[in-house]
Amino acid sequence: MPTLLKDSHAFSGFAVKDLAEAKAFYSETLGLKVTSGSMGVLKLHLAGGNNVLVYPKSNHVPATYTVLNFPVDSVDQAVDTLSAHGVRFEHYDMPTLKTDAKGICRGSGGPVIAWFKDPSGNIFSVLEER
């Protein structure tokens, strides 16, 4: 079995349509540490020493899946706090995925979770790990 990447400190990245708008949202609304990196990218500094690159893409199309998950102690508290800062949570009413009035999914057999979008339409979540 190859071991070449076993010890690599991998990181992820995703695109946005407007870097300045994204930086303001991630730093001011979500409260993340955000720095500008080389080649016109942003670096999101996440807990635990993890980083995510955010890069501009003029013909950006939002991801149709969750690009970043934030484990929290209480989804209810996170939703209330983020909502007070202007974040709007997604609402779903499908046979296998339903959210309540606050946008929180509680009974799907998975974690308690709520989804929201950044200004570019990328999907994020806050979730309680069980």
mmCIF file with all atom_site columns, all heavy atoms in Angstrom, residues 100-119:
data_model
loop_
_atom_site.group_PDB
_atom_site.id
_atom_site.type_symbol
_atom_site.label_atom_id
_atom_site.label_alt_id
_atom_site.label_comp_id
_atom_site.label_asym_id
_atom_site.label_entity_id
_atom_site.label_seq_id
_atom_site.pdbx_PDB_ins_code
_atom_site.Cartn_x
_atom_site.Cartn_y
_atom_site.Cartn_z
_atom_site.occupancy
_atom_site.B_iso_or_equiv
_atom_site.pdbx_formal_charge
_atom_site.auth_seq_id
_atom_site.auth_comp_id
_atom_site.auth_asym_id
_atom_site.auth_atom_id
_atom_site.pdbx_PDB_model_num
ATOM 1   N N   . ASP A 1 100 ? -37.191 22.354 10.865 1.00 0.00 ? 100 ASP A N   1
ATOM 2   C CA  . ASP A 1 100 ? -38.229 23.047 11.619 1.00 0.00 ? 100 ASP A CA  1
ATOM 3   C C   . ASP A 1 100 ? -38.266 24.522 11.220 1.00 0.00 ? 100 ASP A C   1
ATOM 4   O O   . ASP A 1 100 ? -37.587 24.943 10.279 1.00 0.00 ? 100 ASP A O   1
ATOM 5   C CB  . ASP A 1 100 ? -38.032 22.851 13.122 1.00 0.00 ? 100 ASP A CB  1
ATOM 6   C CG  . ASP A 1 100 ? -36.733 23.435 13.661 1.00 0.00 ? 100 ASP A CG  1
ATOM 7   O OD1 . ASP A 1 100 ? -36.115 24.289 12.992 1.00 0.00 ? 100 ASP A OD1 1
ATOM 8   O OD2 . ASP A 1 100 ? -36.341 23.041 14.776 1.00 0.00 ? 100 ASP A OD2 1
ATOM 9   N N   . ALA A 1 101 ? -39.021 25.314 11.945 1.00 0.00 ? 101 ALA A N   1
ATOM 10  C CA  . ALA A 1 101 ? -39.205 26.735 11.615 1.00 0.00 ? 101 ALA A CA  1
ATOM 11  C C   . ALA A 1 101 ? -37.887 27.515 11.657 1.00 0.00 ? 101 ALA A C   1
ATOM 12  O O   . ALA A 1 101 ? -37.742 28.526 10.970 1.00 0.00 ? 101 ALA A O   1
ATOM 13  C CB  . ALA A 1 101 ? -40.218 27.359 12.564 1.00 0.00 ? 101 ALA A CB  1
ATOM 14  N N   . LYS A 1 102 ? -36.922 27.041 12.457 1.00 0.00 ? 102 LYS A N   1
ATOM 15  C CA  . LYS A 1 102 ? -35.616 27.716 12.543 1.00 0.00 ? 102 LYS A CA  1
ATOM 16  C C   . LYS A 1 102 ? -34.645 27.235 11.465 1.00 0.00 ? 102 LYS A C   1
ATOM 17  O O   . LYS A 1 102 ? -33.569 27.791 11.321 1.00 0.00 ? 102 LYS A O   1
ATOM 18  C CB  . LYS A 1 102 ? -34.994 27.480 13.927 1.00 0.00 ? 102 LYS A CB  1
ATOM 19  C CG  . LYS A 1 102 ? -35.716 28.206 15.046 1.00 0.00 ? 102 LYS A CG  1
ATOM 20  C CD  . LYS A 1 102 ? -35.242 27.790 16.425 1.00 0.00 ? 102 LYS A CD  1
ATOM 21  C CE  . LYS A 1 102 ? -33.844 28.217 16.730 1.00 0.00 ? 102 LYS A CE  1
ATOM 22  N NZ  . LYS A 1 102 ? -33.462 27.990 18.145 1.00 0.00 ? 102 LYS A NZ  1
ATOM 23  N N   . GLY A 1 103 ? -35.022 26.193 10.740 1.00 0.00 ? 103 GLY A N   1
ATOM 24  C CA  . GLY A 1 103 ? -34.132 25.631 9.730  1.00 0.00 ? 103 GLY A CA  1
ATOM 25  C C   . GLY A 1 103 ? -33.266 24.505 10.257 1.00 0.00 ? 103 GLY A C   1
ATOM 26  O O   . GLY A 1 103 ? -32.261 24.158 9.652  1.00 0.00 ? 103 GLY A O   1
ATOM 27  N N   . ILE A 1 104 ? -33.665 23.887 11.359 1.00 0.00 ? 104 ILE A N   1
ATOM 28  C CA  . ILE A 1 104 ? -32.874 22.827 11.981 1.00 0.00 ? 104 ILE A CA  1
ATOM 29  C C   . ILE A 1 104 ? -33.499 21.471 11.677 1.00 0.00 ? 104 ILE A C   1
ATOM 30  O O   . ILE A 1 104 ? -34.701 21.275 11.865 1.00 0.00 ? 104 ILE A O   1
ATOM 31  C CB  . ILE A 1 104 ? -32.775 23.029 13.512 1.00 0.00 ? 104 ILE A CB  1
ATOM 32  C CG1 . ILE A 1 104 ? -32.123 24.384 13.817 1.00 0.00 ? 104 ILE A CG1 1
ATOM 33  C CG2 . ILE A 1 104 ? -31.995 21.886 14.152 1.00 0.00 ? 104 ILE A CG2 1
ATOM 34  C CD1 . ILE A 1 104 ? -32.134 24.752 15.292 1.00 0.00 ? 104 ILE A CD1 1
ATOM 35  N N   . CYS A 1 105 ? -32.682 20.546 11.237 1.00 0.00 ? 105 CYS A N   1
ATOM 36  C CA  . CYS A 1 105 ? -33.102 19.167 10.997 1.00 0.00 ? 105 CYS A CA  1
ATOM 37  C C   . CYS A 1 105 ? -32.757 18.376 12.255 1.00 0.00 ? 105 CYS A C   1
ATOM 38  O O   . CYS A 1 105 ? -31.605 18.319 12.664 1.00 0.00 ? 105 CYS A O   1
ATOM 39  C CB  . CYS A 1 105 ? -32.362 18.610 9.782  1.00 0.00 ? 105 CYS A CB  1
ATOM 40  S SG  . CYS A 1 105 ? -32.790 16.909 9.391  1.00 0.00 ? 105 CYS A SG  1
ATOM 41  N N   . ARG A 1 106 ? -33.783 17.767 12.845 1.00 0.00 ? 106 ARG A N   1
ATOM 42  C CA  . ARG A 1 106 ? -33.582 17.098 14.130 1.00 0.00 ? 106 ARG A CA  1
ATOM 43  C C   . ARG A 1 106 ? -33.820 15.592 14.116 1.00 0.00 ? 106 ARG A C   1
ATOM 44  O O   . ARG A 1 106 ? -33.364 14.907 14.997 1.00 0.00 ? 106 ARG A O   1
ATOM 45  C CB  . ARG A 1 106 ? -34.507 17.707 15.180 1.00 0.00 ? 106 ARG A CB  1
ATOM 46  C CG  . ARG A 1 106 ? -34.266 19.170 15.414 1.00 0.00 ? 106 ARG A CG  1
ATOM 47  C CD  . ARG A 1 106 ? -35.283 19.736 16.404 1.00 0.00 ? 106 ARG A CD  1
ATOM 48  N NE  . ARG A 1 106 ? -35.235 21.185 16.428 1.00 0.00 ? 106 ARG A NE  1
ATOM 49  C CZ  . ARG A 1 106 ? -34.400 21.904 17.153 1.00 0.00 ? 106 ARG A CZ  1
ATOM 50  N NH1 . ARG A 1 106 ? -33.530 21.324 17.937 1.00 0.00 ? 106 ARG A NH1 1
ATOM 51  N NH2 . ARG A 1 106 ? -34.432 23.222 17.097 1.00 0.00 ? 106 ARG A NH2 1
ATOM 52  N N   . GLY A 1 107 ? -34.565 15.066 13.162 1.00 0.00 ? 107 GLY A N   1
ATOM 53  C CA  . GLY A 1 107 ? -34.983 13.683 13.301 1.00 0.00 ? 107 GLY A CA  1
ATOM 54  C C   . GLY A 1 107 ? -34.702 12.784 12.130 1.00 0.00 ? 107 GLY A C   1
ATOM 55  O O   . GLY A 1 107 ? -35.432 11.847 11.880 1.00 0.00 ? 107 GLY A O   1
ATOM 56  N N   . SER A 1 108 ? -33.647 13.027 11.400 1.00 0.00 ? 108 SER A N   1
ATOM 57  C CA  . SER A 1 108 ? -33.399 12.222 10.199 1.00 0.00 ? 108 SER A CA  1
ATOM 58  C C   . SER A 1 108 ? -32.537 10.992 10.478 1.00 0.00 ? 108 SER A C   1
ATOM 59  O O   . SER A 1 108 ? -32.169 10.291 9.564  1.00 0.00 ? 108 SER A O   1
ATOM 60  C CB  . SER A 1 108 ? -32.700 13.095 9.149  1.00 0.00 ? 108 SER A CB  1
ATOM 61  O OG  . SER A 1 108 ? -31.405 13.447 9.605  1.00 0.00 ? 108 SER A OG  1
ATOM 62  N N   . GLY A 1 109 ? -32.217 10.737 11.736 1.00 0.00 ? 109 GLY A N   1
ATOM 63  C CA  . GLY A 1 109 ? -31.307 9.647  12.063 1.00 0.00 ? 109 GLY A CA  1
ATOM 64  C C   . GLY A 1 109 ? -29.853 10.090 12.050 1.00 0.00 ? 109 GLY A C   1
ATOM 65  O O   . GLY A 1 109 ? -28.981 9.378  12.502 1.00 0.00 ? 109 GLY A O   1
ATOM 66  N N   . GLY A 1 110 ? -29.606 11.284 11.521 1.00 0.00 ? 110 GLY A N   1
ATOM 67  C CA  . GLY A 1 110 ? -28.260 11.841 11.504 1.00 0.00 ? 110 GLY A CA  1
ATOM 68  C C   . GLY A 1 110 ? -28.108 12.852 12.620 1.00 0.00 ? 110 GLY A C   1
ATOM 69  O O   . GLY A 1 110 ? -28.913 12.897 13.559 1.00 0.00 ? 110 GLY A O   1
ATOM 70  N N   . PRO A 1 111 ? -27.108 13.698 12.516 1.00 0.00 ? 111 PRO A N   1
ATOM 71  C CA  . PRO A 1 111 ? -26.895 14.706 13.562 1.00 0.00 ? 111 PRO A CA  1
ATOM 72  C C   . PRO A 1 111 ? -27.952 15.806 13.501 1.00 0.00 ? 111 PRO A C   1
ATOM 73  O O   . PRO A 1 111 ? -28.614 15.993 12.474 1.00 0.00 ? 111 PRO A O   1
ATOM 74  C CB  . PRO A 1 111 ? -25.514 15.274 13.208 1.00 0.00 ? 111 PRO A CB  1
ATOM 75  C CG  . PRO A 1 111 ? -25.415 15.101 11.727 1.00 0.00 ? 111 PRO A CG  1
ATOM 76  C CD  . PRO A 1 111 ? -26.132 13.810 11.437 1.00 0.00 ? 111 PRO A CD  1
ATOM 77  N N   . VAL A 1 112 ? -28.098 16.539 14.587 1.00 0.00 ? 112 VAL A N   1
ATOM 78  C CA  . VAL A 1 112 ? -28.881 17.767 14.565 1.00 0.00 ? 112 VAL A CA  1
ATOM 79  C C   . VAL A 1 112 ? -28.063 18.737 13.729 1.00 0.00 ? 112 VAL A C   1
ATOM 80  O O   . VAL A 1 112 ? -26.876 18.963 14.008 1.00 0.00 ? 112 VAL A O   1
ATOM 81  C CB  . VAL A 1 112 ? -29.121 18.311 15.988 1.00 0.00 ? 112 VAL A CB  1
ATOM 82  C CG1 . VAL A 1 112 ? -29.840 19.649 15.947 1.00 0.00 ? 112 VAL A CG1 1
ATOM 83  C CG2 . VAL A 1 112 ? -29.896 17.300 16.816 1.00 0.00 ? 112 VAL A CG2 1
ATOM 84  N N   . ILE A 1 113 ? -28.670 19.298 12.670 1.00 0.00 ? 113 ILE A N   1
ATOM 85  C CA  . ILE A 1 113 ? -27.901 20.064 11.690 1.00 0.00 ? 113 ILE A CA  1
ATOM 86  C C   . ILE A 1 113 ? -28.752 21.166 11.079 1.00 0.00 ? 113 ILE A C   1
ATOM 87  O O   . ILE A 1 113 ? -29.977 21.023 10.969 1.00 0.00 ? 113 ILE A O   1
ATOM 88  C CB  . ILE A 1 113 ? -27.340 19.115 10.599 1.00 0.00 ? 113 ILE A CB  1
ATOM 89  C CG1 . ILE A 1 113 ? -26.405 19.836 9.641  1.00 0.00 ? 113 ILE A CG1 1
ATOM 90  C CG2 . ILE A 1 113 ? -28.464 18.391 9.871  1.00 0.00 ? 113 ILE A CG2 1
ATOM 91  C CD1 . ILE A 1 113 ? -25.610 18.893 8.728  1.00 0.00 ? 113 ILE A CD1 1
ATOM 92  N N   . ALA A 1 114 ? -28.112 22.260 10.707 1.00 0.00 ? 114 ALA A N   1
ATOM 93  C CA  . ALA A 1 114 ? -28.786 23.354 10.010 1.00 0.00 ? 114 ALA A CA  1
ATOM 94  C C   . ALA A 1 114 ? -27.839 23.865 8.931  1.00 0.00 ? 114 ALA A C   1
ATOM 95  O O   . ALA A 1 114 ? -26.637 23.989 9.161  1.00 0.00 ? 114 ALA A O   1
ATOM 96  C CB  . ALA A 1 114 ? -29.150 24.472 10.983 1.00 0.00 ? 114 ALA A CB  1
ATOM 97  N N   . TRP A 1 115 ? -28.391 24.163 7.757  1.00 0.00 ? 115 TRP A N   1
ATOM 98  C CA  . TRP A 1 115 ? -27.594 24.596 6.620  1.00 0.00 ? 115 TRP A CA  1
ATOM 99  C C   . TRP A 1 115 ? -27.846 26.060 6.300  1.00 0.00 ? 115 TRP A C   1
ATOM 100 O O   . TRP A 1 115 ? -28.962 26.554 6.435  1.00 0.00 ? 115 TRP A O   1
ATOM 101 C CB  . TRP A 1 115 ? -27.936 23.772 5.387  1.00 0.00 ? 115 TRP A CB  1
ATOM 102 C CG  . TRP A 1 115 ? -27.571 22.331 5.491  1.00 0.00 ? 115 TRP A CG  1
ATOM 103 C CD1 . TRP A 1 115 ? -26.382 21.750 5.162  1.00 0.00 ? 115 TRP A CD1 1
ATOM 104 C CD2 . TRP A 1 115 ? -28.408 21.261 5.945  1.00 0.00 ? 115 TRP A CD2 1
ATOM 105 N NE1 . TRP A 1 115 ? -26.421 20.391 5.387  1.00 0.00 ? 115 TRP A NE1 1
ATOM 106 C CE2 . TRP A 1 115 ? -27.657 20.063 5.860  1.00 0.00 ? 115 TRP A CE2 1
ATOM 107 C CE3 . TRP A 1 115 ? -29.728 21.187 6.416  1.00 0.00 ? 115 TRP A CE3 1
ATOM 108 C CZ2 . TRP A 1 115 ? -28.173 18.828 6.218  1.00 0.00 ? 115 TRP A CZ2 1
ATOM 109 C CZ3 . TRP A 1 115 ? -30.247 19.963 6.776  1.00 0.00 ? 115 TRP A CZ3 1
ATOM 110 C CH2 . TRP A 1 115 ? -29.464 18.796 6.681  1.00 0.00 ? 115 TRP A CH2 1
ATOM 111 N N   . PHE A 1 116 ? -26.806 26.735 5.834  1.00 0.00 ? 116 PHE A N   1
ATOM 112 C CA  . PHE A 1 116 ? -26.917 28.121 5.380  1.00 0.00 ? 116 PHE A CA  1
ATOM 113 C C   . PHE A 1 116 ? -25.964 28.318 4.216  1.00 0.00 ? 116 PHE A C   1
ATOM 114 O O   . PHE A 1 116 ? -25.102 27.477 3.952  1.00 0.00 ? 116 PHE A O   1
ATOM 115 C CB  . PHE A 1 116 ? -26.618 29.107 6.511  1.00 0.00 ? 116 PHE A CB  1
ATOM 116 C CG  . PHE A 1 116 ? -25.230 29.021 7.089  1.00 0.00 ? 116 PHE A CG  1
ATOM 117 C CD1 . PHE A 1 116 ? -24.226 29.872 6.644  1.00 0.00 ? 116 PHE A CD1 1
ATOM 118 C CD2 . PHE A 1 116 ? -24.924 28.100 8.087  1.00 0.00 ? 116 PHE A CD2 1
ATOM 119 C CE1 . PHE A 1 116 ? -22.935 29.802 7.188  1.00 0.00 ? 116 PHE A CE1 1
ATOM 120 C CE2 . PHE A 1 116 ? -23.642 28.020 8.628  1.00 0.00 ? 116 PHE A CE2 1
ATOM 121 C CZ  . PHE A 1 116 ? -22.646 28.885 8.173  1.00 0.00 ? 116 PHE A CZ  1
ATOM 122 N N   . LYS A 1 117 ? -26.128 29.432 3.502  1.00 0.00 ? 117 LYS A N   1
ATOM 123 C CA  . LYS A 1 117 ? -25.293 29.707 2.336  1.00 0.00 ? 117 LYS A CA  1
ATOM 124 C C   . LYS A 1 117 ? -24.451 30.953 2.554  1.00 0.00 ? 117 LYS A C   1
ATOM 125 O O   . LYS A 1 117 ? -24.867 31.878 3.246  1.00 0.00 ? 117 LYS A O   1
ATOM 126 C CB  . LYS A 1 117 ? -26.164 29.897 1.097  1.00 0.00 ? 117 LYS A CB  1
ATOM 127 C CG  . LYS A 1 117 ? -26.879 28.624 0.684  1.00 0.00 ? 117 LYS A CG  1
ATOM 128 C CD  . LYS A 1 117 ? -27.721 28.832 -0.555 1.00 0.00 ? 117 LYS A CD  1
ATOM 129 C CE  . LYS A 1 117 ? -28.408 27.527 -0.949 1.00 0.00 ? 117 LYS A CE  1
ATOM 130 N NZ  . LYS A 1 117 ? -29.284 27.708 -2.115 1.00 0.00 ? 117 LYS A NZ  1
ATOM 131 N N   . ASP A 1 118 ? -23.272 30.947 1.940  1.00 0.00 ? 118 ASP A N   1
ATOM 132 C CA  . ASP A 1 118 ? -22.441 32.145 1.938  1.00 0.00 ? 118 ASP A CA  1
ATOM 133 C C   . ASP A 1 118 ? -22.951 33.067 0.822  1.00 0.00 ? 118 ASP A C   1
ATOM 134 O O   . ASP A 1 118 ? -23.870 32.695 0.079  1.00 0.00 ? 118 ASP A O   1
ATOM 135 C CB  . ASP A 1 118 ? -20.957 31.779 1.809  1.00 0.00 ? 118 ASP A CB  1
ATOM 136 C CG  . ASP A 1 118 ? -20.536 31.310 0.427  1.00 0.00 ? 118 ASP A CG  1
ATOM 137 O OD1 . ASP A 1 118 ? -21.384 31.184 -0.488 1.00 0.00 ? 118 ASP A OD1 1
ATOM 138 O OD2 . ASP A 1 118 ? -19.322 31.061 0.250  1.00 0.00 ? 118 ASP A OD2 1
ATOM 139 N N   . PRO A 1 119 ? -22.407 34.269 0.681  1.00 0.00 ? 119 PRO A N   1
ATOM 140 C CA  . PRO A 1 119 ? -22.888 35.190 -0.349 1.00 0.00 ? 119 PRO A CA  1
ATOM 141 C C   . PRO A 1 119 ? -22.764 34.658 -1.781 1.00 0.00 ? 119 PRO A C   1
ATOM 142 O O   . PRO A 1 119 ? -23.454 35.128 -2.677 1.00 0.00 ? 119 PRO A O   1
ATOM 143 C CB  . PRO A 1 119 ? -22.017 36.434 -0.159 1.00 0.00 ? 119 PRO A CB  1
ATOM 144 C CG  . PRO A 1 119 ? -21.612 36.387 1.274  1.00 0.00 ? 119 PRO A CG  1
ATOM 145 C CD  . PRO A 1 119 ? -21.433 34.923 1.568  1.00 0.00 ? 119 PRO A CD  1
#
